[in-house]
């Protein structure tokens, strides 16, 4: 009977940890005809934009939407409520009243001044195509209109 006394608190702790959004936001990868768009389902801690970023939207890692930041190629992780239409090279990303297409210049903000390892985005590294897994990522928020 002594074992059961420890089992219930341990299970409660495991359940609480699994439900907490903490620093690992829930993510999804939207496949648009072979082009993968990374989207947060919710903002984790530190989810507000704080550092300006800009660049040209492009395919990185052969299949994922990203850009070149300085000398480093990075994935872009779009904020909650982002939707996607079109497919392949004609993908359109609808984010907070702005439509973005591959090849277009974008500006916005990020919670970090440098790309972060995929591990900072929950299980995103397991969801994206294998050709993109070695790349870091930037959580993106577009400039307000």
């Amino acid at each position: 009977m002594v074992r059961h006394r420890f089992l219930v608190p341990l299970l409660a702790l495991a359940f609480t940890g699994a439900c907490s959004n903490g620093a690992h936001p829930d993510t999804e990868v939207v496949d648009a005809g072979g082009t993968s768009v990374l989207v947060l389902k919710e903002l984790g801690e530190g989810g507000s934009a704080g550092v300006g970023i800009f660049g040209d939207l492009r395919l990185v890692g052969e299949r994922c939407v990203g850009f070149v930041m300085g000398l480093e190629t990075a994935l872009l992780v779009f904020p909650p409520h982002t939707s996607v239409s079109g497919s392949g090279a004609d993908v359109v990303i609808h984010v907070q009243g702005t439509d973005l297409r591959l090849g277009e210049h974008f500006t916005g903000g990020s919670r970090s001044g440098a790309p972060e390892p995929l591990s900072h985005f929950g299980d995103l590294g397991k969801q994206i195509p294998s050709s993109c897994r070695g790349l870091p990522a930037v959580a993106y928020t577009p400039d307000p209109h």
Side-chain angles (χ1 to χ4, degrees), residues 13-134:
L13 181 62
F15 181 74
T16 302
C19 293
S20 170
N21 62 1
H24 298 286
D26 199 10
T27 56
E28 74 174 313
V29 176
V30 178
D31 181 82
T35 297
S36 295
V37 180
L38 291 55
V39 179
L40 297 173
K41 289 185 179 179
E42 61 186 56
L43 290 177
E45 294 174 8
S48 62
V51 177
I53 61 170
F54 60 90
D56 295 328
L57 211 58
R58 62 172 64 177
L59 279 183
V60 298
E62 299 175 25
R63 293 195 45 203
C64 299
V65 175
F67 73 118
V68 175
M69 184 175 194
L71 299 175
E72 191 168 16
T73 301
L75 301 164
L76 273 178
V77 183
F78 293 90
H81 311 295
T82 296
S83 62
V84 178
S85 62
S87 65
D90 296 321
V91 68
V92 181
I93 303 161
H94 312 281
V95 54
Q96 298 180 0
T98 301
D99 291 343
L100 297 172
R101 292 169 177 79
L102 292 176
E104 289 184 342
H105 189 75
F106 72 91
T107 61
S110 176
R111 65 181 178 212
S112 171
E116 301 174 290
L118 285 178
S119 60
H120 290 201
F121 298 92
D123 69 346
L124 190 57
K126 295 177 184 174
Q127 297 178 49
I128 63 174
S130 59
S131 63
C132 303
R133 290 187 183 149

